[in-house]
Amino acid sequence: MYNPQKLHPISYISGIINVIKQNFIFVIIFLIFNLKDFEFTNFYSYIYPGIVTLIFVVSFIIHIVKVYKTRYWIEEDHFILTTGVFTKQRKELNIRRIQSVDTAQGIVNQLVGGVVLLIKTPSDGIELDTVSKKQSQLIQQAIKQLQLDLADDVVNDEALQNNEAHNVDNSNTATQQLYKLNFKNLLLMGMTSGAIGIAFAAVMPIFGSISDLLPWKALDSKIEHLTHAVLVTVIIIVSVILLISYIVGTIITIVRYFNYTLTRENNQLNISYGLFKVQNITVPTDRVQAVIENQSFLRKIFGFTAIYFVITSDMDINLEDDNVSGKVMVLPFIKRKEAFSIIKGLVPYYEFNEARKGMPLRSFHRYFIKEFFVLLVIGLIATYFWSAWALVIVSVVLLLFIINGILNVKYAGYKVDEDELVVHNVSIFGMKNSYFKRDKILGMENTQTPFLKRSNLTTFKYVIAKAAGMQKIGLKYENTKNVNSLKQWYLRGERHE
């Protein structure tokens, strides 16, 4: 590990896959628009596929050279990576600053024992694509051992001792399993998830591409013969598409979160999940900026919820990692009481109080008044140029906005308790509780238009750190007096009930 190391040979194969992904859109364009009318005897017909092939070959060669010239090693207290095709690039990470070493395994990597390794610090990161699983374990062990050695060298530093006293329990370094998602709950999670929307977006293009091949006239005549109603034909087709989307969405969720396991070692959480692509994520609990609870109405009926941590990270790496985005799912599907029992052990300085629910009644119409006029114009135009069905669709959409207003007025709210604030947001898709501490707040934004001022209402948002950026958490149309009280709490710690 202290001598320059090469990437796994599978990196060359993964390069082919990456190049195919990069040029996939060009291939699709060719297949859709050119293949049908392709003239094999015409020389000019080969120009476009020739250009695509040339781009593919050049991209692959560049990738091969880049993989061949990539080296990594540990030198004193730094992890070093050198790479580059025409210009040599060198990146050094201070091992003291490394907060986690994560891995990801696609299908090909699982077959050959390779992993994509992501070494992360609060301000930077290194991605190694791909190293052997054994090599990744050696890297993690070497980094962990060096961090312990370097910590011993500065053990007399009082500030460091205080920090470790609060965040690390050195008396127990054993790995503790906190949660494992069994298949029964995984199936229920998939059936109650919002993945149907993703699946619907995936199914519709496929359905559109094969629609020309389906015997619509024969199907329509048979169905209409049975029902004597064109509307029923449309309902049956939509129902079939939604059913397929629901099944596909459930399967997507099961495949993605298969064997989800949460373990803890000192102040770090280790998350592992995935069937075809196995993800291993490390989350330092001392970097938690907020705790988010997401709960759909359907899951609330069954008593299940999902818990996320908002953490800081300044990395800019092209890897599908929740840790990089700043919002990490810690508990994906669990009974609410059990969830908070686990979370309180991870972040014991949080109280997790329930929010006081209810917003000013005079704010009700503000949740849909602007949308009403916009939808009215769209509905009238669509009715004139298309059909009266447009007004029906517009009415349904408007009804959803009205329901959203009712839910917010009745159930949205917040509560301040000492140095902690919980904000309860509600929408037609579900509810969200955001818990964060006063010392984690970066700023506060208050918005008040002349109309809101006349009604004595103000929209407020707190700003907290998230990944390399920020996240805003707040409520619309709260009493101005209450917002001013929240401002005093944020600036001076004063509370006015």
Side-chain angles (χ1 to χ4, degrees), residues 189-200:
M189 174 185 173
M191 295 174 66
T192 59
S193 71
I196 183 173
I198 300 174
F200 186 76

Side-chain angles (χ1 to χ4, degrees), residues 118-227:
L118 182 59
I119 303 173
K120 295 176 286 190
T121 73
S123 59
D124 205 352
I126 285 177
E127 179 185 348
L128 297 178
D129 184 12
T130 305
V131 300
S132 66
K133 192 171 184 179
K134 181 179 179 181
Q135 189 78 343
S136 72
Q137 293 171 349
L138 291 174
I139 292 173
Q140 293 180 60
Q141 293 171 4
I143 291 175
K144 187 175 293 186
Q145 185 60 49
L146 268 174
Q147 286 180 327
L148 292 174
D149 294 341
L150 293 170
D152 289 338
D153 293 338
V154 291
V155 71
N156 293 323
D157 188 329
E158 185 177 351
L160 180 62
Q161 284 183 323
N162 292 335
N163 185 62
E164 289 180 348
H166 285 89
N167 298 316
V168 181
D169 181 9
N170 290 321
S171 63
N172 182 19
T173 59
T175 301
Q176 177 188 8
Q177 180 174 304
L178 302 176
Y179 169 79
K180 187 176 180 64
L181 183 61
N182 58 47
F183 186 78
K184 177 183 176 181
N185 284 345
L186 178 60
L187 179 60
L188 187 57
M189 174 185 173
M191 295 174 66
T192 59
S193 71
I196 183 173
I198 300 174
F200 186 76
V203 169
M204 282 306 296
I206 298 174
F207 181 79
S209 63
I210 66 173
S211 60
D212 294 336
L213 304 177
L214 297 176
W216 288 110
K217 293 183 178 179
L219 289 173
D220 187 65
S221 61
K222 290 182 180 180
I223 297 175
E224 191 173 357
H225 176 72
L226 295 173
T227 62

Side-chain angles (χ1 to χ4, degrees), residues 162-285:
N162 292 335
N163 185 62
E164 289 180 348
H166 285 89
N167 298 316
V168 181
D169 181 9
N170 290 321
S171 63
N172 182 19
T173 59
T175 301
Q176 177 188 8
Q177 180 174 304
L178 302 176
Y179 169 79
K180 187 176 180 64
L181 183 61
N182 58 47
F183 186 78
K184 177 183 176 181
N185 284 345
L186 178 60
L187 179 60
L188 187 57
M189 174 185 173
M191 295 174 66
T192 59
S193 71
I196 183 173
I198 300 174
F200 186 76
V203 169
M204 282 306 296
I206 298 174
F207 181 79
S209 63
I210 66 173
S211 60
D212 294 336
L213 304 177
L214 297 176
W216 288 110
K217 293 183 178 179
L219 289 173
D220 187 65
S221 61
K222 290 182 180 180
I223 297 175
E224 191 173 357
H225 176 72
L226 295 173
T227 62
H228 302 285
V230 178
L231 178 61
V232 176
T233 304
V234 176
I235 293 175
I236 291 174
I237 294 172
V238 172
S239 299
V240 169
I241 294 175
L242 289 176
L243 178 62
I244 294 174
S245 300
Y246 181 75
I247 295 172
V248 172
T250 302
I251 294 174
I252 289 174
T253 302
I254 292 174
V255 169
R256 181 177 183 185
Y257 295 104
F258 183 80
N259 198 35
Y260 190 103
T261 306
L262 174 68
T263 58
R264 179 185 184 182
E265 184 176 351
N266 291 330
N267 68 327
Q268 287 192 331
L269 301 178
N270 299 301
I271 302 171
S272 175
Y273 63 91
L275 181 59
F276 298 133
K277 183 176 182 179
V278 181
Q279 296 269 18
N280 289 281
I281 300 173
T282 303
V283 183
T285 56

Side-chain angles (χ1 to χ4, degrees), residues 367-414:
Y367 288 96
F368 59 87
I369 189 66
K370 291 184 292 186
E371 289 79 5
F372 169 76
F373 290 109
V374 173
L375 289 172
L376 180 62
V377 173
I378 293 175
L380 292 175
I381 295 174
T383 300
Y384 180 79
F385 289 100
W386 178 47
S387 170
W389 280 102
L391 285 178
V392 176
I393 297 173
V394 166
S395 299
V396 172
V397 175
L398 180 60
L399 178 62
L400 293 177
F401 279 107
I402 295 175
I403 294 174
N404 179 66
I406 295 173
L407 291 173
N408 273 276
V409 169
K410 191 170 182 179
Y411 296 108
Y414 71 92

Side-chain angles (χ1 to χ4, degrees), residues 427-480:
S427 71
I428 58 173
F429 301 105
M431 56 196 71
K432 179 173 71 173
N433 285 312
S434 303
Y435 306 89
F436 52 96
K437 293 289 185 177
R438 177 172 167 264
D439 59 358
K440 299 297 183 182
I441 300 174
L442 301 179
M444 184 180 185
E445 298 179 0
N446 296 336
T447 305
Q448 189 180 52
T449 64
F451 297 104
L452 289 178
K453 187 174 183 179
R454 188 174 62 181
S455 299
N456 199 29
L457 297 173
T458 303
T459 294
F460 73 91
K461 293 179 181 178
Y462 286 106
V463 181
I464 63 171
K466 177 187 177 184
M470 64 185 69
Q471 178 170 339
K472 298 179 181 180
I473 301 173
L475 291 170
K476 290 183 176 180
Y477 317 132
E478 175 59 287
N479 282 317
T480 301

